[in-house]
Amino acid sequence: MPDAKLKSRPIQALIDLSKLEHNLTVVRRYAPNARIMAVIKANAYGHGLLHTAQALKKADGFAISELNAAIRLRNAGFHHPILLLEGFFSTAELAQLKRYHLTAVVHHRAQIEMLSASEHKGLDVFIKLNTGMNRLGFSPKEFSSAIQSLKAIAAINQLSLMTHFADADDPNGQEKVNKQLQCFNTITAGLNQPRSLANSAAIIRYPHTHHEWVRPGIMLYGASPLTDKTADELGLKPVMTLSSKLIATQNIKAGDRVGYGGLFQAIRPMRIGIVACGYADGYPRHAPTGTPVLVNGQRTRTIGRISMDMLAVDLSHIDNSEMDSPVVLWGKGQPVDEIAQLADTVSYELLCALAPRVTKKYSGT
Ligand SMILES: *Cc1c(COP(=O)(O)O)cnc(C)c1O
């Protein structure tokens, strides 16, 4: 027995870095002629910025939203192009872009004005066209004047073109994607700057959108970007496995209820397990009874409401389950996409929302 004093709350996120490398090669297989800008915003979708960047160092660039994270990458010795997906927010940040050689998305007039007034030369930018998502970007009407202004600014070095699809994940989204693509092609016709359009879903579904730079995010982490295909079917392997252990078992009688609100009621005597994992770890509170979970490598289900620190599982059909039996909440053997779908969300949210209190353990380097 290990020293009881050294034992602690058993939840962990195991991050297998070799799977990041594997998924990057899958991206290359789907988009053999494009450069790959690995999207590592939000702490690399919850996987840890620097470990992830290191495992993805064969990518051709990184895309990220947070300036401080971009600076951390530079300070850690990464020389890749680094694209700031929301650009910059103040003139003061332009000095940082220059100093750390960071590329910014330019999506708004206010940014062009800051660039015009800047004394910093040699900045690389991606100008963003709003082709229908209506989140960031110049409208088709504004675009030509925006690009003329940028070309006239001495501060600008390399200019690239980008847009973002709203419906690439949807199996019935083809018409909408093509409408955005046509808008992009029309507005950028005659320009010969590098182009970047495709996120993970478009990388897989729409090869004609690849162009010079693709921007994969979720597929690098081994979850499916498509609503009609599993990660496994796409050749992707999960990077993060959220694991814990049984910290208690209970034998309950017919009619006994489990957890807050007693949402689950046993219809026959049964054995249940309590897992050290709850919504304060990032497990979704809205996961209903029946959400799959592995105990001792065998598939069972959650029962009752998810608590802050714990959840309950059905042990009726699990062999040799006892205190300390291993539990996998998602990851290897239990796709995070299944949990996300049952909890009415997407894998992205579950991965990003992994709580800081969960220790990450890295392997596979
Ligand atoms: C997050 C993001 C991506 C990556 O999207 P995935 O669906 O994770 O592949 C690509 N482009 C932009 C602009 C993004 O914000």
Side-chain angles (χ1 to χ4, degrees):
M1 274 296 283
D3 182 351
K5 274 186 286 197
L6 294 177
K7 246 167 111 173
S8 57
R9 191 164 178 267
I11 189 165
Q12 278 187 335
L14 307 163
I15 312 283
D16 183 346
L17 298 168
S18 70
K19 300 298 190 288
L20 281 166
E21 267 187 90
H22 166 84
N23 295 331
L24 182 63
T25 65
V26 174
V27 176
R28 286 236 188 263
R29 229 180 293 143
Y30 282 108
N33 301 315
R35 278 178 283 170
I36 297 175
M37 181 132 15
V39 182
I40 54 173
K41 65 193 180 206
N43 195 29
Y45 289 44
H47 292 66
L49 178 72
L50 294 181
H51 283 94
T52 298
Q54 184 58 31
L56 294 174
K57 61 179 184 292
K58 290 187 189 141
D60 304 290
F62 294 117
I64 202 161
S65 302
E66 310 86 356
L67 176 63
N68 60 355
I71 293 172
R72 277 179 68 209
L73 285 174
R74 281 287 178 258
N75 287 337
F78 292 96
H79 300 297
H80 305 64
I82 300 176
L83 178 65
L84 290 164
L85 288 166
E86 296 177 345
F88 52 91
F89 302 85
S90 66
T91 308
E93 286 188 339
L94 288 174
Q96 306 285 302
L97 300 195
K98 178 67 189 160
R99 175 164 176 209
Y100 293 100
H101 191 49
L102 304 173
T103 306
V105 169
V106 173
H107 61 85
H108 200 277
R109 262 284 150 198
Q111 292 172 315
I112 296 185
E113 276 147 33
M114 288 186 248
L115 283 165
S116 304
S118 161
E119 78 272 22
H120 299 289
K121 302 264 188 302
L123 296 172
D124 295 336
V125 301
F126 276 57
I127 181 169
K128 190 163 192 178
L129 174 65
N130 172 12
T131 53
M133 185 157 182
N134 290 314
R135 203 173 58 174
L136 298 185
F138 295 97
S139 70
K141 265 199 194 123
E142 301 166 314
F143 194 75
S144 102
S145 117
I147 205 162
Q148 289 317 317
S149 311
L150 280 176
K151 282 179 168 173
I153 296 172
I156 305 299
N157 179 35
Q158 170 79 59
L159 180 63
S160 305
L161 311 169
M162 78 182 277
T163 193
H164 192 54
F165 295 121
D167 301 281
D169 57 323
D170 176 357
N172 302 313
Q174 188 163 0
E175 223 171 279
K176 295 174 202 135
V177 169
N178 276 333
K179 194 161 165 239
Q180 284 195 262
L181 180 64
Q182 270 167 23
C183 172
F184 184 86
N185 288 343
T186 306
I187 300 297
T188 62
L191 301 172
N192 57 5
Q193 277 85 10
R195 296 156 292 177
S196 179
L197 292 81
N199 57 0
S200 297
I203 288 168
I204 295 169
R205 245 196 248 285
Y206 302 108
H208 59 298
T209 66
H210 290 173
H211 294 310
E212 286 71 34
W213 282 104
V214 294
R215 304 189 307 269
I218 196 69
M219 68 186 294
L220 291 171
Y221 305 98
S224 176
L226 308 182
T227 51
D228 57 339
K229 283 236 161 55
T230 65
D232 190 50
E233 286 167 342
L234 297 169
L236 301 167
K237 296 187 176 158
V239 177
M240 179 195 296
T241 296
L242 182 62
S243 75
S244 189
K245 288 181 177 172
L246 296 186
I247 59 168
T249 59
Q250 309 283 349
N251 291 300
I252 62 174
K253 310 183 296 296
D256 284 354
R257 304 183 312 146
V258 178
Y260 286 116
L263 288 196
F264 177 85
Q265 188 167 27
I267 54 171
R268 61 179 74 87
M270 64 188 287
R271 198 153 171 269
I272 67 168
I274 306 301
V275 182
C277 175
Y279 61 79
D281 298 300
Y283 196 89
R285 184 172 172 277
H286 292 286
T289 288
T291 302
V293 54
L294 304 180
V295 177
N296 269 347
Q298 299 159 64
R299 194 169 156 111
T300 181
R301 55 177 186 146
T302 64
I303 54 179
R305 194 171 268 161
I306 308 300
S307 300
M308 185 183 284
D309 294 342
M310 285 173 260
L311 57 80
V313 295
D314 184 353
L315 298 178
S316 307
H317 307 285
I318 304 294
D319 307 326
N320 306 322
S321 58
E322 54 190 6
M323 283 280 288
D324 289 336
S325 286
V327 175
V328 169
L329 287 315
W330 67 60
K332 197 170 179 204
Q334 177 49 65
V336 65
D337 291 307
E338 286 184 12
I339 314 299
Q341 200 191 352
L342 286 163
D344 220 354
T345 183
V346 288
S347 62
Y348 301 71
E349 187 182 17
L350 299 187
L351 298 174
C352 295
L354 182 77
R357 78 174 185 179
V358 178
T359 305
K360 292 201 246 321
K361 203 169 146 202
Y362 291 93
S363 69
T365 44

